[in-house]
Amino acid sequence: MADFDVLCVGAINFDLIATVDHVPVDDERMFAEAMVSATGGPAATAAVTLAKLGYRVAVSAAVGRDSAGDFVLDALQTAGVDIRYVTRHEAMTTSQSIILANQVSGHRTIITQQPNGLPDQFPLDAAPVIHVDQVGFGLIDPLLSDDSTRRPRLSIDAGNPIPTLDLSRTWLYTPTVAALTSRYGATPKESALAALREGAELVVATDGSAGSWWFAPETEPVHAPATKANIVSTLGAGDVFHGALLAALLDGQVPSDALRFANTCAALSCRAIDGQSAIPTRSEIRSHQELATATLNKENQ
């Protein structure tokens, strides 16, 4: 038996988040309504989501031996994420991001450092599922065996560009609709079919306030509308969606339920300025879905 259900490989960031009412222009001085330090990064946020939803999860990444590295690793451990495969480099600076969270639009502007170090460990036998972001894909893809009976199932967060993306050994491919259609130059459905022909077993595309889509071979697409929630910041919502979707798939949920579960989890995570502190529990997700269903039934009476 593997030690974990999922191994997340990729980026861990130290985020400094400022809430503003607009994005400043050149030479403008402005005051933030609030400033928050938090842990971020696509792989890290997906890992925290999985842990919050009850799965055994580890993360493989690289951070420096600095105060930012101490901060992010303490946060991950507190959230229940195993950090045994995180490498700390003496000469590395932990990747940091400055994020402006626009309280008027709900959107965010991100300035981030590229990681300047790589992890030493990303064991393929640690978990039956490996989830990678744009950083992790380049590390894991060359190691995957063509023997499908031995290699783990690969989940790819393609929310950020991956120049070397190869779907030939992919179980779950999760781009945004914009990234999907840009890659294939066609409609979302046609683009998803192209991705399936390229090798992905399942394509799930996120479309922000328009919800999410599920595409699988020889079946009709499944769409789930976005979940309504009180939005403070959308920072990390896509990464939370990826973690929640993996949890739903590991649960064995059917497509429509899996999309609704992931949409709800992502929406509720937007209740806070940062991308992780408001990630909901299963009971919170269930309560929100039950309330939404009751409200809809009442409106239809």
Side-chain angles (χ1 to χ4, degrees), residues 140-161:
I140 290 296
D141 186 60
L143 303 179
L144 293 177
S145 167
D146 289 330
D147 183 354
S148 61
T149 64
R150 298 183 59 186
R151 60 182 168 86
R153 291 183 291 178
L154 179 64
S155 165
I156 301 176
D157 169 358
N160 293 303

Side-chain angles (χ1 to χ4, degrees), residues 17 19-23 99-110 230-237 270-274:
I17 309 163
T19 59
V20 297
D21 58 12
H22 68 280
V23 176
I99 301 165
L100 302 181
N102 190 320
Q103 298 300 281
V104 176
S105 69
H107 297 297
R108 64 273 191 270
T109 300
I110 302 174
N230 294 323
I231 305 297
V232 174
S233 169
T234 58
L235 179 65
C270 296
R271 298 171 295 178
I273 296 170
D274 68 293

Side-chain angles (χ1 to χ4, degrees), residues 102-135:
N102 190 320
Q103 298 300 281
V104 176
S105 69
H107 297 297
R108 64 273 191 270
T109 300
I110 302 174
I111 306 168
T112 191
Q113 292 175 302
Q114 289 284 6
N116 60 355
L118 300 175
D120 294 334
Q121 302 181 75
F122 21 84
L124 299 185
D125 59 353
V129 175
I130 292 184
H131 177 68
V132 300
D133 58 20
Q134 74 279 5
V135 174

Side-chain angles (χ1 to χ4, degrees), residues 24-230:
V25 299
D26 290 349
D27 297 324
E28 178 181 0
R29 177 183 173 87
M30 68 186 306
F31 291 96
E33 297 176 25
M35 281 193 174
V36 175
S37 297
T39 301
T45 302
V48 171
T49 304
L50 282 157
K52 194 75 176 282
L53 296 174
Y55 279 98
R56 300 172 303 149
V57 58
V59 66
S60 173
V63 300
R65 290 194 178 277
D66 49 21
S67 59
D70 293 339
F71 180 96
V72 296
L73 295 185
D74 286 346
L76 288 173
Q77 285 187 299
T78 300
V81 176
D82 194 289
I83 61 170
R84 71 182 67 180
Y85 303 124
V86 175
T87 303
R88 303 199 71 173
H89 294 294
E90 295 287 351
M92 177 182 173
T93 300
T94 299
S95 180
Q96 300 185 42
S97 297
I98 297 173
I99 301 165
L100 302 181
N102 190 320
Q103 298 300 281
V104 176
S105 69
H107 297 297
R108 64 273 191 270
T109 300
I110 302 174
I111 306 168
T112 191
Q113 292 175 302
Q114 289 284 6
N116 60 355
L118 300 175
D120 294 334
Q121 302 181 75
F122 21 84
L124 299 185
D125 59 353
V129 175
I130 292 184
H131 177 68
V132 300
D133 58 20
Q134 74 279 5
V135 174
F137 179 82
L139 301 174
I140 290 296
D141 186 60
L143 303 179
L144 293 177
S145 167
D146 289 330
D147 183 354
S148 61
T149 64
R150 298 183 59 186
R151 60 182 168 86
R153 291 183 291 178
L154 179 64
S155 165
I156 301 176
D157 169 358
N160 293 303
I162 304 177
T164 60
L165 183 61
D166 176 3
L167 300 179
S168 62
R169 294 185 291 265
T170 302
W171 167 53
L172 173 63
Y173 170 47
T174 51
T176 62
V177 167
L180 178 66
T181 55
S182 176
R183 176 177 172 83
Y184 295 100
T187 66
K189 181 177 180 179
E190 291 168 339
S191 297
L193 292 175
L196 293 170
R197 288 193 297 270
E198 194 175 323
E201 295 180 38
L202 173 63
V203 177
V204 174
T206 59
D207 200 13
S209 60
S212 55
W213 289 88
W214 173 295
F215 302 94
E218 301 179 2
T219 61
E220 286 299 310
V222 178
H223 176 258
T227 300
K228 295 180 180 179
N230 294 323

